[in-house]
Structure formats: structure tokens, C-alpha cells
Amino acid sequence: MAMSVILAAGKGTRMRSDLPKVLHRLMGASLLEYVLEKVEALECEPRVVVVGFREEKVREEFPSRGITWASQTEQRGTGHAASTGIEAVRNPPEDVLILNGDLPLLELSTLRGILDRHRESGADVTVLTCEMADPTGYGRILRNPQSGKLRDIREEKDASQDERRVREGNVGTYVFRVPIFRDAYRRTRPENRQGEYYLTDVVVEAARSGAKVETFPMQDGPERAQVNSRREMASVAALVRERLLADYMDAGVSIDDPATTYIEKGVRIGRDSRIYPFTYIARGVEIGPGCEVGPFTHLRPGVVLDEEASIGNFVEVKASRIGARAKARHLSYIGDATVGEDANIGAGTVFANYDGKTKNPTVVKRRAFIGSGTILVAPVTVGEEAVTGAGSVVTRNHDVADRDVVVGVPARSLKQGSRKKEGA
């Protein structure tokens, strides 16, 4: 099996950002995570990620993924980056899969295909290519007119006008036999406008030296999309969102209007749940079976909805568990809370979880009824089957007892008041 080297050292100049390009978020996950997932599924071990610009940020993002990190301290091109990655492994296997960290839509089947082609053909180098309707921005594959074999790869900025008319582009994914890579890399020179060691030059040098260089063609389409700018990021995000929503619907989730629904990567949704329009569900949310969410709902990270829970119009929930059959249907904010089963959160309720220094928890127990316009100032607990009257403010540490009824500002117990009158 081949090892893998992911090139993730670049700054991404066109992103106009202080964040490494591969850490920019695409529907809740970094660009690099999409590529890592494919490599992990292929079991291409060891997995090497080449980092450079603000490498500590990239390392922090993936603390426990079994990655071998390789540091490209000086940005000297993709060829140098690939060499840095290979040499980070003491005894590398015979083959290495090299791919860019900015190809989030690349399919697992395509990567399997290029690996299979490489092995079955006995190639020394295999290059992923695509006949493109519009190859703008891609290096061009130049072939020998007689044999049809790859003879050169010309980066667009170095290509002549005739070469730019070639429609077969280089996607940025390769399989090398490691000894062939090392030998060809030693002979490359940075003879280009950028003064860099191009990985494409390593391919060409291998071909010139007599190595067997094969290509693996992929279909033209969104899969080859690179992310080099924020505009490209937005275009790719739209495609990823469509894929994610299709996967949820295929798994038994009803999504009334995919065009207005945003569900990030990594959300879990149970069967027979229904997502209404204008809903945003962030990564890390877990939704049980038979739930209803939306319209105009925002579920932030750390939210868990138990079976048949219902979160409705203009409700925001963050880092909270909502119990089975519990409801928060209108105009509410729920943060850092545990809401028991069959509880009802009335319209306009605010869980005031932040005191200016600390996020504090609120507990609403089973079958409690929170009246409209209630403010629950955390930390506080509302007991089982307890009721708060409309407009009540339940202040911090003034818990509401089971089956009690509180009203007013600050909220006071009606039942306790009744007992005082009876004993007077």
C-alpha cells in the first residue's frame, strides 16, 4: 500500500487571509479535513501532511489523527514540499500518493482509481488528468504527438498561447514510486518565473529519464474544483451543501426546501425528522428521530435533540440538550441548558446563561411549563411540572421547586404565598 503526502504548506495568497488556506471552513469542516478523510479511508499509511505557513495552527486543528507532520520552513515550491513529506518517513513504502490539500470534492473512487491504474500498469509515475471544458488556472498536459505519452506539464503562468489552448489539465494528484521521485527530484532545477521546484517538473524529469509515466483521466465536473480564493470557496460550498442535504434526505430526513437550508458537515439527524425552510444547523449537532426543526431556527454546536423534540420559529439553541417531546416553538434563546422531556418553553423565553465572565447552566426538568417572556438567569433549576408565569424573571440560584408556580419580577412562588396566608 502507498503512503500519502498532503501538500498543505501554502498561505493561499488569493484568499487574502492570515489563516492558512487549508484551515478555511467549508460547511463546518476545514478544507484539509475533506482530503484527510479520503486518505484515511484509503488507508494510505503513513499519512504525511506538509505544513509551512502558520503550521502551529494546522497542527492544533488535528491533534489526534495519526498524522506525520513535515515542516516546509522555506516555501520553495510543490516539488520541494513533496520531497519534504517523503523524507519525513524513515522507511517509506515503495509508492506514494501525493495530493493537494485544496481539493475537497475529490471522490474516494477517483483516488482508488489512480492507485489501481498505477499498480496494474506497472507505472513509475501516474498523473490524474482531466479533459476540461474550461482549463483556466490549471497546468496543461502536453503529449508526444506520435506516442500520445505525457512529455511535459506546463503551468498556466509559464505556458505559451498555443499551450494554453490545450484542454487536458493537471488536477494536482500523483502516484510515484519513491525511488523514481527521489532520483527525478534531484535533477530538477527551479527554471521558471517563480524560481520554485515544481512537482510537475519532477514528473517531466522522470519521463525524460525513461521512467514509465501513465495518466489516469477523470470526468470533467465539480470534483476537480480547487479552492484558491473566497469566490471559489463559496462556489464549492454550494456543491458540498447540495451533497450533504442529499445524503440526509436519502437517509430518511425530510428537508422541505433545500435551497434555504444549511446543514454543516458532521451533523447527525435521525429518521423521520423534518427540517423546515430557513434553518441553519451547525457541525456537532445531534438530532434524534422524529424531531421538527424550523423554520428560521439556528442550532449551534453542542445541541442534542432527543426523540420527537421540536424547535421552531426564530429559536436559537446552543450547547444544550432538549429532552424527548420537549418544545420550544417561538422566539427564544436557549443556551447551556438541559431541558427535560415533555417540557414546554414559551414564546420569548431567554436563558440568560452569561454573567459577563462565565457561561452558567440552566436545568428545566421534565414537564415543566415556562411561560411566555420568561427570563431564566443562570445558574438556576426549574423543577418537574413547575410553572413560570408570563414575563417572570427567575433570578440566579433561586431554584423553582417541583410543581411550584412562580410569577413576577423577581419571580416568587404563588404556592408559598398561599401557604403563608393560610398560616397567618
Side-chain angles (χ1 to χ4, degrees):
M1 180 59 70
M3 66 178 283
S4 56
V5 172
I6 300 173
L7 307 183
K11 180 178 181 179
T13 305
R14 281 182 280 167
M15 297 296 286
R16 301 290 191 269
S17 176
D18 294 327
L19 189 70
K21 180 171 73 170
V22 295
L23 291 190
H24 281 264
R25 298 286 172 186
L26 185 67
M27 293 305 295
S30 68
L31 289 174
L32 180 56
E33 181 165 342
Y34 286 90
V35 180
L36 266 175
E37 282 184 346
K38 309 296 190 329
V39 170
E40 288 168 348
L42 288 168
E43 298 182 347
C44 287
E45 305 285 352
R47 296 188 301 274
V48 181
V49 176
V50 182
V51 288
F53 175 68
R54 299 199 66 186
E55 64 176 83
E56 73 286 349
K57 295 288 291 182
V58 184
R59 291 173 184 254
E60 289 169 5
E61 183 83 7
F62 303 97
S64 59
R65 297 286 284 263
I67 296 169
T68 298
W69 298 100
S71 181
Q72 188 188 25
T73 54
E74 185 180 355
Q75 304 291 297
R76 299 172 63 189
T78 53
H80 177 257
S83 176
T84 300
I86 291 170
E87 300 310 323
V89 177
R90 180 171 296 179
N91 294 306
E94 183 175 5
D95 292 325
V96 56
L97 170 68
I98 303 173
L99 64 167
N100 293 332
D102 61 359
L103 292 168
L105 297 181
L106 204 57
E107 296 280 2
L108 186 59
S109 59
T110 299
L111 294 176
R112 284 201 176 106
I114 189 175
L115 286 167
D116 290 344
R117 171 66 63 85
H118 182 76
R119 296 188 191 102
E120 292 166 2
S121 66
D124 295 310
V125 184
T126 306
V127 182
L128 183 62
T129 71
C130 181
E131 191 76 19
M132 304 177 187
D134 179 9
T136 302
Y138 288 81
R140 304 303 201 274
I141 302 296
L142 307 181
R143 295 183 177 272
N144 185 301
Q146 285 75 40
S147 67
K149 294 293 186 179
L150 183 149
R151 65 172 176 83
D152 208 342
I153 304 175
R154 189 83 76 231
E155 296 297 325
E156 187 172 67
K157 53 182 167 288
D158 299 315
S160 68
Q161 288 298 321
D162 285 342
E163 289 169 341
R164 291 187 182 193
R165 294 189 185 98
V166 173
R167 292 172 56 193
E168 186 178 14
N170 173 33
V171 179
T173 300
Y174 317 82
V175 184
F176 281 87
R177 287 185 58 233
V178 171
I180 296 296
F181 176 91
R182 285 170 166 165
D183 183 61
Y185 177 69
R186 280 193 292 267
R187 295 197 303 273
T188 58
R189 296 292 181 268
E191 296 172 352
N192 51 67
R193 294 180 183 178
Q194 304 298 113
E196 295 181 345
Y197 291 87
Y198 289 163
L199 183 51
T200 50
D201 287 346
V202 182
V203 176
V204 173
E205 186 60 42
R208 289 173 180 169
S209 67
K212 185 176 182 180
V213 178
E214 295 288 335
T215 57
F216 180 73
M218 63 179 289
Q219 294 293 318
D220 193 14
E223 184 185 358
R224 65 174 172 82
Q226 295 176 323
V227 175
N228 292 304
S229 68
R230 294 182 191 263
R231 288 189 183 188
E232 291 176 355
M233 175 75 83
S235 297
V236 171
L239 297 170
V240 172
R241 183 166 69 91
E242 288 179 8
R243 289 185 181 185
L244 290 171
L245 294 176
D247 288 344
Y248 289 122
M249 288 186 283
D250 289 345
V253 177
S254 293
I255 299 176
D256 286 11
D257 183 16
T260 60
T261 301
Y262 289 77
I263 304 177
E264 291 185 339
K265 181 178 175 62
V267 174
R268 297 181 181 179
I269 309 178
R271 291 176 62 175
D272 295 321
S273 285
R274 184 175 183 181
I275 312 300
Y276 291 88
F278 300 101
T279 293
Y280 197 114
I281 304 175
R283 180 175 188 167
V285 171
E286 297 182 21
I287 299 173
C291 294
E292 291 189 351
V293 179
F296 296 99
T297 295
H298 186 188
L299 301 184
R300 292 167 57 191
V303 170
V304 177
L305 304 186
D306 289 335
E307 183 176 2
E308 297 182 11
S310 180
I311 304 296
N313 304 271
F314 301 102
V315 177
E316 178 183 358
V317 187
K318 167 254 179 187
S320 299
R321 186 173 200 119
I322 310 299
R325 300 172 301 282
K327 295 177 175 61
R329 300 293 297 173
H330 317 284
L331 301 163
S332 297
Y333 170 71
I334 302 171
D336 299 287
T338 301
V339 176
E341 61 186 40
D342 297 301
N344 186 86
I345 309 300
T349 295
V350 175
F351 286 56
N353 57 321
Y354 185 51
D355 61 10
K357 296 181 180 179
T358 306
K359 298 292 181 69
N360 298 297
T362 298
V363 176
V364 176
K365 294 187 177 181
R366 61 185 295 274
R367 301 187 68 181
F369 184 94
I370 307 302
S372 297
T374 294
I375 299 177
L376 303 175
V377 184
V380 71
T381 296
V382 178
E384 291 188 12
E385 301 183 17
V387 176
T388 69
S392 300
V393 177
V394 182
T395 54
R396 59 183 297 147
N397 297 318
H398 286 78
D399 296 344
V400 180
D402 292 350
R403 290 170 289 282
D404 201 357
V405 179
V406 298
V407 297
V409 182
R412 300 182 185 277
S413 171
L414 288 181
K415 290 189 175 183
Q416 289 178 5
S418 297
R419 286 196 292 272
K420 287 180 181 178
K421 288 184 179 181
E422 291 169 3

